Amino acid sequence: MPSLRTAHAPAPAPVPASVHRPARPAPADERGRLLDRFNAAVRAPAAHGGVACLPPFLDALALAEGGAEPDGARWIVDSNARLNAAAMMRRCFPDPEIHEVASEYGAAAYRRGWLRLDRTLPVQQHTHVVETAETWVEEDDRTLDQVLQTYGRPSVTFGDLDPCLPKTLGYASADHDIPLAVFHFAQAADMPSARLLAFRAGEGPFGARMAFTPFGWTAGED
């Protein structure tokens, strides 16, 4: 993850107090409201104005915790696509779905302890997901039902809860230094539940550790 830059004023001109003074943390009730709003929006972005609302929420949360940097960079998904996570997803998903993009912002929030989880996996269980899912996904086409049967209830769902509609499932441990493991799904079509496109785990540029189902490899083709 790129390091945040720290601004240095040229000597001998004094640095304005407003630049280097630490931001005052927001009251707990304000931070709680921001967390409520962000977590509702990241799970169902279509109902909250789309993914464009997510970066400002993350900015506000960083400010609420006194974490603003002098140059304005407060949190970051990618240094070249801070406000547009879809841009770094296009080499894997030519036309990223809203839930896929939301999951990237959710992963950024998780690393900072801002993502509320429905379930927290023990580290060993999360490691099992990461170590087995890549091969399991590539072996055959899979469905939402099969993922749930194999790996259990997710930590968070990005997108519609209808089992037949597109979504992304995230699996998280209690250790926030371990990235989310995510499964991306397309619409069920003729399958009994949503069809699995791909699995992703690990740090680095999007797609650094990506496994596609046979269906996922052909889903973006014309």
Side-chain angles (χ1 to χ4, degrees), residues 42-121:
V42 78
R43 283 167 168 76
H48 293 81
V51 292
C53 73
L54 300 178
F57 275 130
L58 291 170
D59 285 344
L61 282 164
L63 281 169
E65 295 189 353
E69 291 294 322
D71 64 359
R74 303 177 186 109
W75 66 273
I76 201 158
V77 175
D78 178 86
S79 58
N80 296 316
R82 175 173 168 270
L83 298 178
N84 183 13
M88 63 181 175
M89 302 177 73
R90 290 197 176 106
R91 69 187 180 93
C92 294
F93 298 108
D95 187 17
E97 296 279 352
I98 190 170
H99 60 90
E100 292 161 353
V101 180
S103 71
E104 280 299 290
Y105 291 116
Y110 168 70
R111 288 194 295 270
R112 292 154 180 80
W114 298 337
L115 184 66
R116 290 173 176 161
L117 304 176
D118 301 323
R119 176 194 177 207
T120 302
L121 279 67

Side-chain angles (χ1 to χ4, degrees), residues 7 14 33 37 53 71 79 86 92 102 110 117 125 132 135 155 204 210:
R33 285 193 293 269
R37 294 173 65 192
C53 73
D71 64 359
S79 58
C92 294
Y110 168 70
L117 304 176
Q125 187 173 353
T132 63
T135 300
S155 301
M210 196 89 172

